[in-house]
Each structure stands twice: as structure tokens, then as C-alpha cells.
């Protein structure tokens, strides 16, 4: 069956229709007819070749929700079936043989298949293929497809940062940035039971932060000093170079600063900011399949939903520019 995709031929270029015939379905592979796909900042970076790794023509899109159209011969029929509503996120497969995969940390597999990079045909298309059925996520009935899509990248990125770093319901935590990642992190942490502070350079987001569950709001420009020594865990969701010494100072002893947004430049901080108080600076990555399932279940159970703006796929150029300019409130989602 011919796939109708929406590709860019050059960095930053306009979207154009691209039709292709997929290869025969492999034994572990799953084809999903896409109904909704989130538009992530990472998609914009790939379209614009911000990291110098894009190859054109490029079909972006890695937050896909749809219906299974075909399954390979080795797919476990107890888990997945044709006609089932599922999601395919940032990773579409892994080797399931290395030490990382065998210990349940498939997200660290050196041979994992990133949905956009593998063959450069992502989910801005009528169909997306997962290279391994174990990375195809059943969607809980209570989650609408337009809400489920952003959870498959933004949601799992912040959720796995919370679970892997041992955040406790009794912890005092802060989320830096109230955007596509941050507004979900606030919701997860509030439902986790934490005392949540939102930190943003945009004072106008104070009301939204509280609506998402934050107990306090701090304006980054003038408020960091008053929260010095306050937090057990800080999650930075922004793609910006921050005053890292100030954020490390905001941690309590043995606190953790976890970075899931990608700063523009190298980290710069005084060694004593880290060493005194035995603090930790860690990175975060999208989760393994089991973590994805836990995240979707937790979101469904606790009513966690991204705030979304929907666009018909014919307006993909507009949706990309909307995200590029930071205007999305708070995630853009394509409808097919």
C-alpha cells in the first residue's frame, strides 16, 4: 500500500507530498495507520537540520497514534492485533540482546531505532512502521488520541526522569520551564504527591502553572535567590543556557538537577556548586517500553492531559512554524 508522507527536501524548506512504497513487512514489524501525530521541538530541529545530522528528503514526526494495519509473523498476538489503537513514539525498536536491553534499559541501546532517523521516514505520514512490536504502545481507552500523542515523547521524557531519579511523594521539587515538557512535568509531579514549584522566565505563565498543579511560581529573573536550598529535585525542561550555579544552589544537600531540555552551549558551573552538599547533575532520555506503559497508565488513571492545539495535516508548515516560534500552548498535534 502506498504511503503518503509529508517531507522537506532541504533544511527549513516547505513541506511537500512524498509517496513511497514500503518494504515488505518484517517478522517483528508493525504498520500503524496514523490518525494523530504530535509536532515536537525535536521535529523542528530535524527539519531545520539544527544538529547537522538530518538527511533529506526528511519525513519527521515521532509522536504517532493510530490503528494497527498489519503485523509481522513474529508479533505476539496476545499483545497487539490489527485494528487496535496504539502509539509509536521517539524510538521504534532496539536490539533486545545487549546488556542494556536485557536489563530493561532499551532506551540506552546503541542499536535502537529512532523513529525519525531510521530510514528518515517518520510519522508525518499516513502510515508509520515500528521495527519491533515491543515498542508499540497500546493506548488506554480513557486517553483521547490527540492527548496520547504528545505523551509518547514529551510525557515519557519527564516521567522517566521522575521515576529513574527516585523522586518521592514527600519531596519538594521544581520544574524549570512551563512549556511542552514542563506543563506535563508539573502535572506528573503534582499527582505524584510532591510540593511543586514552577520556575519560568515568563511571568504570564503563573496562572497556567497553578492550573497544571504547581503550588508555587517563581519568576526566574529575580526569584532564584529566595529559593536557595529549597529543592530535593529540579527538572530543567528548557532548551536554554541557564545560570547553573544558581540552580545547583537551589538544591538541598544530595539534591538532583536533571536536564532533559538541550542547552545551546556547554555546561558552566563552579565545581564547589556540585561538590559541596554532594549534589548531582544528570541527564534524561525517553523511556524504555515498560516505562512507556507505566506512564500511559499513570496519565490515564490520574487525568493527566497535555494542553494541545490541533492542526489538519494540510497545515503542517503552519504547525511547524508555530512550534518553531515558541507559540504552542502547549503541544501542537496533527490530525490526519
Amino acid at each position: 500500500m502506498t504511503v503518503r508522507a509529508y517531507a522537506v527536501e532541504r533544511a527549513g524548506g516547505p513541506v511537500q507530498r512524498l509517496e513511497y512504497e514500503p518494504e515488505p513487512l518484517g517478522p517483528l514489524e508493525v504498520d500503524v495507520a496514523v490518525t494523530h501525530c504530535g509536532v515536537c521541538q525535536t521535529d523542528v530541529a530535524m527539519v531545520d537540520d539544527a544538529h547537522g545530522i538530518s538527511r533529506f528528503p526528511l519525513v519527521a514526526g515521532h509522536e504517532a497514534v493510530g490503528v494497527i494495519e498489519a503485523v509481522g509473523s513474529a508479533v505476539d498476538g496476545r499483545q497487539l492485533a490489527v485494528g487496535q489503537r496504539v502509539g509509536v513514539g521517539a524510538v521504534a525498536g532496539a536490539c533486545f540482546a545487549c546488556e542494556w536491553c536485557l536489563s530493561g534499559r532499551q532506551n540506552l541501546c546503541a542499536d535502537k531505532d529512532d523513529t525519525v532517523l531510521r530510514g528518515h521516514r517518520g510519522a508525518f505520514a499516513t502510515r508509520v512502521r515500528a521495527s519491533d512490536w515491543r515498542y508499540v504502545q497500546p493506548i488506554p481507552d480513557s486517553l483521547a488520541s490527540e492527548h496520547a500523542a504528545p505523551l509518547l515523547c514529551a510525557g515519557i521524557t519527564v516521567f522517566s526522569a521522575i521515576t529513574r531519579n527516585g523522586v518521592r511523594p514527600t519531596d519538594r521539587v521544581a520544574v524549570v520551564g512551563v512549556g511542552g515538557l514542563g506543563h506535563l512535568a508539573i502535572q506528573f509531579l503534582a499527582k505524584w504527591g510532591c510540593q511543586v514549584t514552577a520556575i519560568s522566565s515568563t511571568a504570564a505563565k503563573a496562572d497556567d502553572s497553578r492550573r497544571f498543579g504547581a503550588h508555587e511560581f517563581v519568576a526566574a529573573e529575580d526569584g532564584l535567590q529566595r529559593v536557595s536550598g529549597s529543592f530535593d529535585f529540579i527538572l530543567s525542561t528548557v532548551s536554554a543556557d541557564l545560570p547553573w550555579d544558581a540552580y545547583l544552589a537551589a538544591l538541598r544537600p544530595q539534591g538532583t538537577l536533571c536536564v532533559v531540555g538541550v542547552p545551546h552551549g556547554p555546561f558552566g558551573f563552579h565545581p564547589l556548586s556540585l561538590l559541596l552538599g554532594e549534589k548531582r547533575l544528570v541527564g534524561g532520555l525517553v523511556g524504555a517500553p515498560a516505562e512507556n506503559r507505566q506512564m500511559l497508565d499513570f496519565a490515564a488513571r490520574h487525568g493527566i492531559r497535555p494542553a494541545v492545539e490541533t492542526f489538519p495535516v494540510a497545515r503542517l508548515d503552519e504547525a511547524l512554524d508555530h512550534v518553531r516560534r515558541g507559540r504552542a500552548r502547549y503541544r501542537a498535534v496533527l490530525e490526519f
Side-chain angles (χ1 to χ4, degrees), residues 88-336:
V88 179
V91 181
C95 79
F96 285 90
C98 68
E99 62 174 303
W100 308 106
C101 286
L102 293 175
S103 59
R105 294 172 287 178
Q106 294 91 352
N107 56 299
L108 299 178
C109 176
D111 293 323
K112 69 179 185 296
D113 289 329
D114 293 311
T115 301
V116 174
L117 295 181
R118 55 179 295 276
H120 309 282
R121 288 173 177 168
F124 292 166
T126 54
R127 186 199 294 182
V128 67
R129 176 170 292 181
S131 58
D132 194 298
W133 65 269
R134 286 163 286 192
Y135 261 98
V136 178
Q137 312 294 332
I139 303 298
D141 290 341
S142 61
L143 282 175
S145 295
E146 65 268 24
H147 293 145
L151 293 175
L152 298 171
C153 179
I156 187 56
T157 296
V158 298
F159 182 83
S160 57
I162 294 166
T163 57
R164 288 182 198 146
N165 288 291
V167 176
R168 302 164 298 181
T170 54
D171 284 345
R172 299 178 65 87
V173 303
V175 176
V176 185
V178 185
L181 293 172
H183 89 291
L184 286 169
I186 292 169
Q187 293 183 66
F188 279 120
L189 287 163
K191 295 298 184 181
W192 207 255
C194 300
Q195 178 75 18
V196 184
T197 296
I199 301 175
S200 176
S201 60
T202 307
K205 291 184 176 180
D207 288 343
D208 279 355
S209 299
R210 294 188 176 93
R211 178 166 59 88
F212 295 133
H215 302 93
E216 299 180 41
F217 179 86
V218 170
E221 291 87 349
D222 53 16
L224 287 180
Q225 207 166 22
R226 72 178 176 85
V227 294
S228 181
S230 295
F231 305 115
D232 301 288
F233 179 73
I234 299 174
L235 182 62
S236 174
T237 68
V238 297
S239 299
D241 300 318
L242 299 177
W244 300 110
D245 284 300
Y247 282 98
L248 288 168
L251 289 171
R252 287 161 44 86
Q254 295 189 331
T256 298
L257 171 58
C258 180
V259 179
V260 294
V262 183
H264 299 301
F267 288 99
F269 56 88
H270 196 286
L272 294 183
S273 296
L274 194 68
L275 300 179
L276 297 180
E278 297 182 349
K279 298 172 183 179
R280 299 193 309 149
L281 173 64
V282 301
L285 193 64
V286 294
E291 292 172 305
N292 275 272
R293 284 169 171 76
Q294 290 173 344
M295 179 273 302
L296 289 168
D297 182 59
F298 189 87
R301 192 185 319 153
H302 291 283
I304 294 170
R305 303 290 186 271
V308 301
E309 299 175 74
T310 58
F311 295 79
V313 69
R315 292 168 56 197
L316 176 53
D317 275 318
E318 180 184 342
L320 286 166
D321 197 56
H322 196 60
V323 174
R324 184 183 287 116
R325 295 176 183 272
R327 294 174 177 168
R329 293 295 182 269
Y330 281 87
R331 300 293 291 191
V333 177
L334 297 178
E335 294 181 323
F336 288 78

Side-chain angles (χ1 to χ4, degrees), residues 67-86:
V67 176
I68 294 179
E69 203 167 57
V71 297
S73 59
V75 173
D76 188 342
R78 297 168 299 177
Q79 304 292 326
L80 299 174
V82 172
Q84 183 177 0
R85 190 172 64 117
V86 296

